[in-house]
């Protein structure tokens, strides 16, 4: 995980003791946390630097994708050669 984000120019600020979370800062001041959770599902959180107030237009197109309101969200079913492992890493 660290290799990917530092390769994009992000600065590593901290990692968790178990290696399942990492915290980065982007060159333009965004803060990014990556946490690998249940069934190795990655969770991303981004905090923006302070921004100037501005007007934002309402969306002009309907949302795309399934509507999971009031339904159980399915487990991830996508494989990515960088982020996905076929087997658990050695302990």
């Amino acid at each position: 995980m660290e290799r990917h984000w530092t390769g994009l120019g992000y600065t590593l600020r901290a990692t968790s003791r178990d290696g399942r979370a990492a915290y980065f800062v982007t060159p333009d001041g965004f803060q990014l946390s990556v946490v690998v959770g249940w069934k190795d599902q990655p969770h991303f959180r981004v905090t923006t630097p302070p921004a100037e107030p501005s007007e934002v237009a309402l969306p002009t197109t309907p949302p795309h994708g399934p509507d999971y309101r009031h339904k159980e969200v399915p487990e991830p079913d996508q494989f990515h050669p960088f982020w996905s492992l076929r087997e658990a890493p050695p302990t």
Side-chain angles (χ1 to χ4, degrees), residues 20-38:
R20 297 184 69 86
Y23 307 91
F24 299 90
V25 176
T26 69
D28 51 357
F30 287 79
Q31 296 180 43
L32 169 71
S33 66
V34 182
V35 179
V36 180
W38 184 70

Side-chain angles (χ1 to χ4, degrees), residues 1-8 24 34 36 40 42 44 78-86:
M1 176 172 21
E2 178 182 349
R3 183 179 71 232
H4 175 77
W5 296 106
T6 56
L8 294 173
F24 299 90
V34 182
V36 180
D40 294 325
F44 301 93
Q78 300 298 309
F79 177 82
H80 186 279
F82 185 87
W83 294 108
S84 305
L85 294 176
R86 297 227 182 256

Side-chain angles (χ1 to χ4, degrees), residues 15-70:
T15 58
S16 63
R17 288 184 181 177
D18 63 3
R20 297 184 69 86
Y23 307 91
F24 299 90
V25 176
T26 69
D28 51 357
F30 287 79
Q31 296 180 43
L32 169 71
S33 66
V34 182
V35 179
V36 180
W38 184 70
K39 290 194 175 183
D40 294 325
Q41 175 69 25
H43 299 268
F44 301 93
R45 177 176 288 166
V46 177
T47 305
T48 63
E52 295 292 323
S54 64
E55 291 187 29
V56 177
L58 292 175
T60 58
T61 59
H64 299 286
D67 182 359
Y68 289 112
R69 288 179 293 183
H70 311 295

